[in-house]
Amino acid sequence: MIEIRNVSRIYYDTAGLPVEALQAVSLEIREGEFLSLIGPSGCGKTTLLRLIAGLDLPRSGELFIEGRAIEKPSHERGYVFQQAALFPWKTVEENIAIGLKARHIYKEKKGLVPEYIHLVGLDGFSKSYPHELSGGMMQRVAIARALINKPKVLLLDEPLGALDAFTRIELQDTIRRIRRETGTTIVLVTHDVDEAIYLSDRIAIMTARPGKINEIIKVEINSERDRNRDDFIGLRRRALEKLHLAGVVYANVQGGGEAI
Amino acid sequence: MNSETDISKKYWKPKSKWWFAAAVLSIAAAAAVNALVPDVQTVNTSYYRIVLAAFIAALLALWTTPVLARKLRHKLYHYSQFIAAAGLLLAVLDLLTTKSDILKLPFFPGPAQIIEVLFTERNTLFICTVYSLRLFFAGLACGVVLGIATGVMIGWNRQWNYWLFPVLKVVGVIPPVAWIPIALAVFPTSFYAGIFLLVLTSWFSIAFMVATGIESTPKAYFEVSRTLGANDRFLLFHVAIPNAVPSIFTGIATSAGMCFMTLVIIEMIGAKAGLGWYINWAKAWASYDKVYASIVIMGVAFCIILGVINVFRNYFLRWQKGTVR
C-alpha cells in the first residue's frame, strides 16, 4: 500500500557538514499490517516516518501511497508525536474533533467524537483540559485525534517513549486492541525491542550513519503474545543480535548477550 | 492538593477571626478619634463619619450574612490586616491634620476633608471620571484592535514582518507623550488627539506581544494540524492565534497601565475635561483637597479597570487553570 523507493535524505550538522540521515532506503508497507522501525538514535527512523507523513521531502527517491506520490501531509496519514502535542486550550473532545473541524465535516460527523473517546478508553474525560491528564492519557487523546480521520495509515513516532513502564505496557495493549477493532495500517518508530515484537507483524531494523534498513524480521507469533514464552524470547534474541551486528550496544537486556 | 491547603496558599490567614475583629475595631477607632477629639481646622466631618460607619456596617453585614459563601469570608479575613492598618493610618492622619493642624493646609488636607470634597464635588468629579474613562476605553480599544491586527501580520507573514517590524521597533521606543504638541495641532479636538496618543501608547506593545506569541507556537502544533487536514487559514486561526492569547492579555494589561499614565498627562496638558484636567484646574485654585480627591478616584478606577481585564483574561485562559500563569 505504501511504497518507498530508493529514498535518501541529508541534513547538515552544527558544523555545516552533511550527514546522510537516510541512504537509498526501499520498503513496502502492506495494507493492514503493523510495521515497526527500530534502531539506535540517529538511524533515521523518525526521518523515514516524517517522509511517509509528507512533513519532509526526500532529497532523492520516491514515496507512494496506493500508487499516488506523497508530496505533503494529508489527513489520510495520521501522525502521533512522542510529545502528544495536544492543544492546551482545547478540551479532550475539542482536541479529538480538530481533524473534523479542519476538514469542515464537523457538523455531519461530530457523533464520532464520543465513539473515539470510548475507543481509546477516555470515557468521562471529554471535558478535561490537557494539563489535567497524565502522559499516557494525553497519548490516548493524540491517537484518537489521528484516528477520527480514518487514516489509511497511522504513523506512531515513539508515542510511548516518554511514559513510565506500567503505562507503556497498558498503552501497548490499547494499541493492539485499537488495531484489532479498526484494522488500520500502523507504522511504529521505537527503540524498545520488546514493544516492537509485542505489537508488530514485521520489524525493520535500521542502522545509523548512513541510515538504512539492515534487515526485516517477520514476527510469526499468532497467538496472544507472551513476553516470557520461548518464541518471544527467541525473536528478542534474534532482533538484538541483528542490532549488535549492526554495531548497536544494548546492555542489560535479558537474552541479549554481550555487547560487541 | 486538597482545598484546605489551596485556600491557605491563596489567602493570608483566611481563618483568623481576630484580625477581622481588629479591622472592625480599628475603623471604629478612626471614627471615635474624629468624633471625640475637637477639630482645629474647619471641616465638615459628617461625611467622613458616615463613610466610616457605613464601612463598619458593611464589614459586619458581610460577616454575619449566613448565605455568604465560605470563599468570600476567607477573602474578607484575608483583607483584614490591611483594613486594620488603614483604620490606624486614617486615625493618625486625622490627628495630624484636622485635629491639630501639624500638617498645614492647603497642601495636606485631612481624610475628613478629602471625603467631604468627594461628596460636595461629586457632580463635577463624576463627569470628569466619565470623560476620562470614555477617552481611556476608546483609545485602548483602538490600540488593542490595531495591535492584534499588526501583531498577527508581523508574526505570521514574512513580507509584513519585513516592513512593519522595524517601524514598530523605532516608533515603539518613542515616549507617546512626545507627540502631544503634534497631536494637539493636527487633530480637530483634544478628544481625538487623546485617542491618537493612547493608540500610540498601546498599539506597539500589544503588537509586539502578539507577534511574539504567534512566533512562539511550537512547530509540532503546526505539523500535527497539517497531518489532520488543516490548511494555512486553519493554522492561523485555530493554532497560532489561540497560542498567542496569553501574550495578548499580557500586552493588554501592561499597555492599560501605560495608557492610564498617558491619559492623565494628556488631560493635564491639552484637555478641557477629565480627571487630569480637574487636577490641573484645582491646583490653579490651590484646592489641594480636590487634587487628592481626584487621585483617590484614579486609584480606585484603575483597580476596577485591571479587575475587569482580569475577568476577561480568566475567562479566555480558563484552560490554564491550575498551571503556572
Side-chain angles (χ1 to χ4, degrees), chain B residues 88-163:
Chain B
L88 290 180
L89 183 70
L90 285 176
V92 170
L93 284 176
D94 201 17
L95 286 170
L96 288 174
T97 54
T98 315
K99 302 298 179 188
S100 65
D101 207 21
I102 293 173
L103 292 175
K104 301 281 183 209
L105 287 173
F107 302 110
F108 301 108
Q113 195 174 339
I114 296 169
I115 298 279
E116 187 198 343
V117 167
L118 281 170
F119 273 93
T120 52
E121 289 282 304
R122 61 184 176 275
N123 288 331
T124 322
L125 282 169
F126 178 74
I127 290 168
C128 283
T129 309
V130 170
Y131 269 98
S132 287
L133 290 180
R134 188 181 67 152
L135 180 54
F136 177 81
F137 281 113
L140 184 63
C142 294
V144 166
V145 171
L146 287 168
I148 291 176
T150 14
V152 168
M153 285 169 166
I154 292 171
W156 188 248
N157 183 300
R158 292 204 52 195
Q159 180 72 72
W160 282 105
N161 185 308
Y162 175 84
W163 286 107

Side-chain angles (χ1 to χ4, degrees), chain A:
Chain A
M1 186 190 67
I2 294 175
E3 241 184 288
I4 300 162
R5 278 191 217 145
N6 270 319
V7 161
S8 299
R9 191 171 156 85
I10 282 179
Y11 71 89
Y12 294 88
D13 64 12
T14 43
L17 299 170
V19 178
E20 267 190 293
L22 286 175
Q23 189 190 55
V25 169
S26 294
L27 179 68
E28 196 180 326
I29 299 158
R30 294 165 205 151
E31 176 104 47
E33 89 165 325
F34 195 123
L35 181 104
S36 288
L37 300 170
I38 190 164
S41 52
C43 71
K45 50 193 194 299
T46 294
T47 310
L48 186 56
L49 201 70
R50 288 177 62 90
L51 290 177
I52 300 173
L55 289 168
D56 294 321
L57 293 175
R59 200 171 83 105
S60 63
E62 294 159 308
L63 297 100
F64 298 96
I65 179 162
E66 295 180 337
R68 288 169 288 123
I70 294 173
E71 284 158 349
K72 56 177 190 188
S74 149
H75 67 269
E76 64 180 23
R77 281 163 277 129
Y79 201 101
V80 176
F81 289 82
Q82 180 172 6
Q83 311 298 339
L86 302 181
F87 295 167
W89 55 86
K90 287 186 187 288
T91 60
V92 166
E93 59 180 3
E94 288 167 346
N95 263 290
I96 292 175
I98 289 170
L100 302 178
K101 289 229 172 91
R103 293 160 60 214
H104 308 291
I105 52 169
Y106 179 67
K107 278 206 181 111
E108 308 92 86
K109 297 279 178 78
K110 64 179 159 199
L112 288 176
V113 176
E115 254 175 62
Y116 279 85
I117 289 176
H118 179 71
L119 178 73
V120 295
L122 283 177
D123 296 295
F125 289 95
S126 55
K127 305 281 181 209
S128 303
Y129 283 100
H131 78 262
E132 298 167 311
L133 305 179
S134 68
M137 291 159 92
M138 287 194 209
Q139 283 302 5
R140 286 169 191 270
V141 178
I143 291 169
R145 178 171 68 173
L147 282 175
I148 202 167
N149 278 331
K150 302 204 163 71
K152 297 208 160 78
V153 59
L154 179 64
L155 308 169
L156 305 174
D157 185 2
E158 292 190 44
L160 315 182
L163 306 177
D164 65 85
F166 293 112
T167 315
R168 196 147 66 207
I169 288 173
E170 221 177 272
L171 259 168
Q172 284 167 1
D173 287 332
T174 307
I175 291 175
R176 262 176 80 107
R177 178 174 56 76
I178 286 171
R179 191 206 166 191
R180 217 171 35 235
E181 285 175 21
T182 63
T184 314
T185 311
I186 301 180
V187 182
L188 169 76
V189 161
T190 181
H191 48 230
D192 181 341
V193 176
D194 277 23
E195 181 171 296
I197 300 171
Y198 189 66
L199 294 172
S200 321
D201 301 321
R202 289 194 301 156
I203 302 171
I205 293 179
M206 297 185 69
T207 50
R209 276 176 273 273
K212 57 184 177 192
I213 293 175
N214 193 268
E215 169 136 6
I216 293 179
I217 296 180
K218 267 192 158 174
V219 182
E220 285 169 320
I221 312 174
N222 292 320
S223 56
E224 277 301 299
R225 292 178 188 186
D226 182 338
R227 293 176 178 83
N228 293 318
R229 256 177 41 182
D230 288 346
D231 47 2
F232 200 105
I233 292 169
L235 266 176
R236 179 195 290 148
R237 184 174 295 124
R238 222 182 111 197
L240 286 169
E241 270 164 16
K242 297 290 173 204
L243 286 165
H244 283 290
L245 288 175
V248 180
V249 176
Y250 263 81
N252 304 322
V253 181
Q254 189 201 348
E258 287 299 306
I260 295 166

Side-chain angles (χ1 to χ4, degrees), chain B residues 72-244:
Chain B
L72 211 68
R73 182 166 295 176
H74 291 313
K75 219 169 176 173
L76 194 61
Y77 288 167
H78 170 82
Y79 286 114
S80 288
Q81 290 192 351
F82 243 110
I83 296 169
L88 290 180
L89 183 70
L90 285 176
V92 170
L93 284 176
D94 201 17
L95 286 170
L96 288 174
T97 54
T98 315
K99 302 298 179 188
S100 65
D101 207 21
I102 293 173
L103 292 175
K104 301 281 183 209
L105 287 173
F107 302 110
F108 301 108
Q113 195 174 339
I114 296 169
I115 298 279
E116 187 198 343
V117 167
L118 281 170
F119 273 93
T120 52
E121 289 282 304
R122 61 184 176 275
N123 288 331
T124 322
L125 282 169
F126 178 74
I127 290 168
C128 283
T129 309
V130 170
Y131 269 98
S132 287
L133 290 180
R134 188 181 67 152
L135 180 54
F136 177 81
F137 281 113
L140 184 63
C142 294
V144 166
V145 171
L146 287 168
I148 291 176
T150 14
V152 168
M153 285 169 166
I154 292 171
W156 188 248
N157 183 300
R158 292 204 52 195
Q159 180 72 72
W160 282 105
N161 185 308
Y162 175 84
W163 286 107
L164 288 180
F165 193 66
V167 177
L168 193 86
K169 264 206 300 202
V170 174
V171 183
V173 296
I174 301 167
V177 288
W179 299 91
I180 287 180
I182 298 162
L184 288 176
V186 170
F187 288 94
T189 68
S190 62
F191 179 71
Y192 290 111
I195 287 186
F196 170 74
L197 290 167
L198 290 179
V199 165
L200 276 184
T201 310
S202 49
W203 185 349
F204 303 104
S205 63
I206 292 176
F208 189 78
M209 290 306 294
V210 175
T212 316
I214 285 191
E215 282 166 2
S216 73
T217 312
K219 209 173 123 215
Y221 289 180
F222 292 131
E223 291 187 333
V224 91
S225 308
R226 284 164 65 211
T227 64
L228 292 170
N231 56 14
D232 278 358
R233 217 183 116 82
F234 188 91
L235 295 186
L236 176 60
F237 287 101
H238 292 264
V239 184
I241 293 180
N243 188 71

